[in-house]
Amino acid sequence: MRDIFISAGGRLLADWQQVCPEGAVFKESAALNADVGQALIWLHVNAGNTESMLADVAGLLGRFAQARVLVLANAPDTNEAVAAFQQGAAGYCHAYSSADVLGEVRRVVQLGGVWLGPEVLQRLITVGRTMVGSSQTKINATLDQLTPREREVALKAAEGLSNKLIARELDITERTVKAHLTAIFERLAIRDRLQLALMLNDRQG
Amino acid sequence: MRDIFISAGGRLLADWQQVCPEGAVFKESAALNADVGQALIWLHVNAGNTESMLADVAGLLGRFAQARVLVLANAPDTNEAVAAFQQGAAGYCHAYSSADVLGEVRRVVQLGGVWLGPEVLQRLITVGRTMVGSSQTKINATLDQLTPREREVALKAAEGLSNKLIARELDITERTVKAHLTAIFERLAIRDRLQLALMLNDRQG
DNA sequence: AAAAATATTGTACCAAGGTACTAGACCCCG
DNA sequence: CGGGGTCTAGTACCTTGGTACAATATTTTT
């Protein structure tokens, strides 16, 4: 996917060039004549001119159906961002974002995603916040299904300890460790200790 | 809105049942014959089979225009999530999510929304970038020590797949999988696949 | 062109994980 | 007191994971 950078100033942003060393640069969207195909167009806009930005986005998308347009704003504004997305932009971010961020944005957009900055997200998403922090709750809910002794065994197994080591630490035989594990696997409906590790170590929601 | 649960294993997840006590369970998407109308279809998928998941999602959406499809992944993967959304899924979350989370997901989707998990969110949010980015970098640094083929094997092993399954998916013999794993263990200076899973799944930052 | 890395597979073997069936000791509750 | 859950553990057995000691073909690097 080609990268095309459009900036009124025509000046190339250093970080952008780092992300897209092969990218082409234009001074204005009108300068794009030939069909660009599946290009990724980075539209660098100045503050306070939402109207012309929207017109540019609409124009580009109209002329190049296969292209995706990303807006780089010198002074990002949530309202402007929402407007850009309504117009069909695939992303809207700070023009002076670091190369890391720009790379990530590019990746997301290339994968067909829409990149949303934090402010825009908060505006669009009402849920989430509470949910994000609830993974610990999930783990506890999992552990609550187990007896105290099973919990001890489960945690040690999820840390990667062998049955022999668990047995030594809990001062029981290896056979008993196996017995607990069998009970754990059945109760949690999983196959083996690796699945257990995934359940207990995965901090995702 | 009816809830329909599809799992290859046909096993009902306890938390899911709690959220959808009235839900129907099927072993495979093909088992859904009659039109389900405005149903909410929970598609439980195993790790590492993105293709078949996407096919399932596409098939379901094609057959039941009014239905919404939610993907429950045993081993969530951001790329897979993005792919699922591209295919038209209304949500993608961890199969072992707690009932609380599942209920919230259900609510959002029923209201016509698209549910984005924290991992996908964090991928999109710049704020979480520093933290998430560092651990991601760490993981990448780990993976960079491996050859391309070894990376594939390592990731699948870390997801909990058995050698047999990995072999099948990569279309090589189980012996070769073992050879790669032995090389991986030596290079990363770890003992077994569980340690590998801990290394690659640790998203603490 | 030679050397090194990568990818593949074989046979054999041992250790570890996990299951089946069983069972005694202990504790709590109705 | 008896039933049920918990913790413990034995023997036996099977499966999976991992290593040792190979070999061959392809690609990449030097």
Side-chain angles (χ1 to χ4, degrees), chain B residues 95-172:
Chain B
Y96 299 125
S97 296
S98 69
D100 283 352
V101 174
L102 291 177
E104 200 54 40
V105 173
R106 183 161 178 260
R107 204 174 80 82
V108 170
V109 174
Q110 280 190 337
L111 286 172
V114 169
W115 194 88
L116 299 172
E119 217 192 342
V120 178
L121 269 181
Q122 284 190 334
R123 170 96 165 254
L124 302 178
I125 300 176
T126 6
V127 169
R129 232 202 56 73
T130 15
M131 240 176 47
V132 175
S134 70
S135 71
Q136 195 60 48
T137 306
K138 204 174 60 187
I139 293 175
N140 287 339
T142 301
L143 290 174
D144 278 352
Q145 297 178 55
L146 307 177
T147 69
R149 201 55 162 168
E150 285 168 357
R151 260 193 293 280
E152 292 184 76
V153 174
L155 287 171
K156 286 180 190 298
E159 279 176 23
L161 297 200
S162 68
N163 289 343
K164 199 188 294 271
L165 270 179
I166 297 173
R168 205 172 297 161
E169 291 200 10
L170 297 184
D171 200 32
I172 52 181

Side-chain angles (χ1 to χ4, degrees), chain B:
Chain B
M1 192 179 255
R2 269 182 79 193
D3 287 285
I4 296 173
F5 184 78
I6 300 177
S7 175
R11 183 173 56 76
L12 198 55
L13 296 169
D15 282 326
W16 184 82
Q17 191 166 31
Q18 198 176 323
V19 176
C20 312
E22 313 268 303
V25 184
F26 293 86
K27 285 209 174 178
E28 51 179 357
S29 59
L32 274 178
N33 298 316
D35 187 21
V36 296
Q38 272 203 319
L40 176 49
I41 303 177
W42 304 70
L43 184 63
H44 185 196
V45 299
N46 290 324
N49 207 337
T50 303
E51 293 309 318
S52 95
M53 180 273 285
L54 291 177
D56 261 359
V57 171
L60 287 168
L61 289 174
R63 285 155 60 204
F64 313 117
Q66 293 183 295
R68 309 212 67 192
V69 176
L70 253 165
V71 178
L72 294 170
N74 270 346
D77 170 73
T78 311
N79 289 326
E80 189 174 82
V82 173
F85 286 121
Q86 276 184 301
Q87 201 61 252
Y92 180 98
C93 66
H94 200 298
Y96 299 125
S97 296
S98 69
D100 283 352
V101 174
L102 291 177
E104 200 54 40
V105 173
R106 183 161 178 260
R107 204 174 80 82
V108 170
V109 174
Q110 280 190 337
L111 286 172
V114 169
W115 194 88
L116 299 172
E119 217 192 342
V120 178
L121 269 181
Q122 284 190 334
R123 170 96 165 254
L124 302 178
I125 300 176
T126 6
V127 169
R129 232 202 56 73
T130 15
M131 240 176 47
V132 175
S134 70
S135 71
Q136 195 60 48
T137 306
K138 204 174 60 187
I139 293 175
N140 287 339
T142 301
L143 290 174
D144 278 352
Q145 297 178 55
L146 307 177
T147 69
R149 201 55 162 168
E150 285 168 357
R151 260 193 293 280
E152 292 184 76
V153 174
L155 287 171
K156 286 180 190 298
E159 279 176 23
L161 297 200
S162 68
N163 289 343
K164 199 188 294 271
L165 270 179
I166 297 173
R168 205 172 297 161
E169 291 200 10
L170 297 184
D171 200 32
I172 52 181
T173 66
E174 200 176 332
R175 178 63 191 84
T176 307
V177 174
K178 287 184 175 183
H180 285 309
L181 280 174
T182 301
I184 291 165
F185 297 154
E186 191 187 350
R187 188 134 350 137
L188 301 183
I190 53 179
R191 290 190 309 284
D192 50 37
R193 65 209 298 119
L194 189 12
Q195 300 298 318
L196 182 65
L198 293 178
M199 278 185 88
L200 297 184
N201 290 309
D202 192 12
R203 293 173 176 91
Q204 324 279 32

